Amino acid sequence: MANVAVIGAQWGDEGKGKVVDWLASRADVVVRFQGGHNAGHTLVVGNQTYKLSLLPSGLVRGKLCVIGNGVVVDPDALLAEIERVRGQGLSVGPDVLRVAENAVLILPVHPALDKAREEARGDKKIGTTGRGIGPAYEDKVARRAIRVADLAEPETLSAKLDETLLHYNTLLRGLGVAEFGKEELLNKLLALAPKILPYAEPAWERLDELRRGGKRILFEGAQAVMLDVDHGTYPFVTSSNTVAATASAGSGVGPGAVGFVLGIAKAYTTRVGSGPFPTELHDEIGKHLGERGREFGVVTGRPRRCGWFDAALVRQAVKVGGVQGLALTKLDILDGLPELKICTGYRINGKHYKHLPAAPGAQAAAVPEYEVMEGWSGSSHGARSWADLPAQAVKYVRRIEELVEAPVTLLSTSPERDDTIMVRDPFAD
Ligand code: IMP
């Protein structure tokens, strides 16, 4: 049975929530495999809008959901989000939500250090979400992280907290920020334990069983390839690998289980936070895209920077992310623009580049090379078939396919779930 992994192919906020929700209706289980509550997925279902950060989008469809070991879990954020969606009428309990027992926990020390470091960076800040994602992943590779399973062992917790506090209080002191006391943190974790542990299990084992039972798995990526800690615009990236290969290590299944890789890209480009963005528009068109596309961060509320579609960037994401098909979203936002530009490469210090090089200086200096296309006057909003689209909009999509070297397998033309043109069912074998 085919599985599907969905990943962002730009800098995040490509409209993954809608696509994942749409695919979740065809899946049996939805798995998050990296990131944490820095993600923000908006799902519009009928007259309800769900804003999810940590919970897999499949919950909205009543599907079994798994938070994999590759996710960093803030227990307070998890419980708060569960309460919030319960308030919207969703039923969330251990019967539909499972959390990998080997997932790393985000503790209050993590956002404290995240924010203090950003503050200290001044105008060199990364623009993180301030949610402690980076420090939590640092703890994981430094082998000092407190994980979900540790909540069941008070002695382990106590010993690990000593190491955590030695590390964090030293840094926080140096940055002139309030330190944390052990008693308070330990009591907090002991109080959280009975609320979190009912969700905990060896998620890899459940996924293995489901797989052997022929169930369809949807792996839900967060952030996007250009925010990948290896392949993105480092250091202006998040702290996890966001490429599809992570679906395997981040949930405890072999690479063969990942299946079809669907990359999501907007028909233009946006980015939140700092860092290079060659096709960024500082003019009226950029403003227009931001307003019309309602480009505000779900998590931070920050306005997103907007620009033309960068085919060189998405092509790179297609290659390193293993993308086999593209879901192109928000095409309707381009309706009515007389002229459209697509970036096909860059000029950097007098030289042509087909992709964004790794050096930060070169990335910052990249000047886009554009191909100009005629826009369309008709409406693509709400189209559900190719025949509903203006001819020039179809040309735009076809040109994108050629340039990024991947077929468009899904086209989304409004926030509504059913306003989607499906070229190929990603779950088809
Ligand atoms: P962090 O993940 O909070 O460490 O933030 C690192 C960078 O990733 C910042 O530029 C954030 O704005 C960006 N980022 C993190 N999560 C998302 C997301 O879900 N969408 C878009 N950008 C994100």
Side-chain angles (χ1 to χ4, degrees):
M1 189 60 69
N3 297 325
V4 175
V6 175
I7 60 168
Q10 292 161 320
W11 278 293
D13 312 308
E14 296 93 350
K16 275 192 285 306
K18 169 182 161 170
V19 176
V20 172
D21 172 49
W22 193 79
L23 290 168
S25 60
R26 293 169 150 73
D28 299 299
V29 50
V30 182
V31 185
R32 276 279 310 265
F33 55 89
Q34 48 72 228
H37 65 313
N38 50 347
H41 294 168
T42 305
L43 290 95
V44 182
V45 182
N47 55 6
Q48 279 277 21
T49 299
Y50 300 94
K51 289 187 184 295
L52 303 180
S53 279
L54 187 54
L55 293 172
S57 301
L59 269 189
V60 173
R61 299 280 154 206
K63 301 290 171 153
L64 176 65
C65 287
V66 175
I67 295 180
N69 57 278
V71 176
V72 282
V73 181
D74 181 324
D76 286 320
L78 177 63
L79 295 172
E81 196 168 319
I82 290 174
E83 278 317 307
R84 188 153 48 78
V85 296
R86 276 186 185 148
Q88 288 187 279
L90 292 186
S91 142
V92 187
D95 53 330
V96 289
L97 176 67
R98 310 304 298 160
V99 180
E101 60 178 5
N102 50 347
V104 163
L105 290 179
I106 297 183
L107 309 180
V109 292
H110 296 126
L113 183 66
D114 192 355
K115 288 177 200 151
R117 279 197 308 218
E118 281 284 90
E119 191 71 24
R121 284 185 186 115
D123 62 3
K124 305 240 172 359
K125 62 164 64 86
I126 292 168
T128 73
T129 59
R131 304 217 155 173
I133 307 296
Y137 277 115
E138 288 165 31
D139 280 6
K140 174 172 166 166
V141 293
R143 294 164 293 190
R144 66 171 165 258
I146 294 181
R147 309 198 298 177
V148 171
D150 298 339
L151 292 172
E153 297 183 359
E155 281 169 21
T156 305
L157 273 183
S158 174
K160 281 194 163 187
L161 269 181
D162 286 333
E163 193 183 350
T164 305
L165 289 176
L166 173 67
H167 182 79
Y168 281 90
N169 281 342
T170 308
L171 290 169
L172 292 171
R173 202 177 310 132
L175 288 161
V177 176
E179 296 175 38
F180 285 83
K182 179 168 175 191
E183 251 348 85
E184 199 187 329
L185 263 187
L186 183 59
N187 288 338
K188 180 183 172 61
L189 290 175
L190 292 174
L192 280 167
K195 297 181 189 158
I196 297 292
L197 287 172
Y199 295 97
E201 68 174 18
W204 62 268
E205 196 166 37
R206 179 178 294 268
L207 291 173
D208 184 56
E209 272 164 28
L210 288 165
R211 229 163 73 73
R212 282 190 288 116
K215 303 293 186 198
R216 292 169 152 189
I217 306 175
L218 179 63
F219 297 95
E220 178 182 5
Q223 292 83 46
V225 176
M226 284 303 139
L227 290 171
D228 182 285
V229 69
D230 285 295
H231 299 289
T233 45
Y234 192 90
F236 299 99
V237 293
T238 191
S239 295
S240 61
N241 282 111
T242 57
V243 291
T246 316
S248 161
S251 58
V253 299
V258 173
F260 186 82
V261 180
L262 185 69
I264 321 276
K266 247 183 261 202
Y268 49 99
T269 313
T270 64
R271 141 159 240 183
V272 288
S274 327
F277 181 174
T279 63
E280 183 170 13
L281 291 166
H282 297 283
D283 58 7
E284 283 306 306
I285 298 176
K287 220 171 123 203
H288 170 82
L289 293 175
E291 283 166 9
R292 181 124 192 238
R294 280 183 252 131
E295 298 295 352
F296 292 94
V298 174
V299 170
T300 57
R302 291 180 290 190
R304 297 178 186 140
R305 301 154 66 193
C306 297
W308 293 120
F309 187 82
D310 189 339
L313 188 96
V314 174
R315 179 179 168 276
Q316 193 170 337
V318 162
K319 306 290 176 190
V320 301
V323 170
Q324 291 162 296
L326 212 62
L328 198 65
T329 63
K330 297 184 116 171
L331 183 69
D332 58 311
I333 304 303
L334 301 178
D335 285 356
L337 286 175
E339 187 182 272
L340 302 171
K341 292 184 181 174
I342 301 179
C343 171
T344 57
Y346 312 98
R347 186 145 287 275
I348 303 171
N349 303 326
K351 260 178 75 184
H352 164 75
Y353 285 80
K354 206 174 169 184
H355 59 84
L356 212 48
Q363 290 186 354
V367 177
E369 295 170 335
Y370 284 123
E371 197 172 288
V372 181
M373 287 187 79
E374 209 183 295
W376 51 91
S377 52
S379 169
S380 69
H381 187 77
R384 294 183 184 185
S385 75
W386 290 99
D388 291 344
L389 290 175
Q392 200 55 35
V394 176
K395 269 196 196 160
Y396 181 72
V397 175
R398 295 293 180 223
R399 188 62 188 134
I400 284 177
E401 285 183 315
E402 279 169 14
L403 289 168
V404 307
E405 297 177 24
V408 169
T409 55
L410 265 176
L411 194 63
S412 161
T413 55
S414 100
E416 291 300 325
R417 185 169 171 254
D418 296 328
D419 292 342
T420 303
I421 301 171
M422 184 174 72
V423 183
R424 176 193 196 276
D425 179 353
F427 277 114
D429 286 318

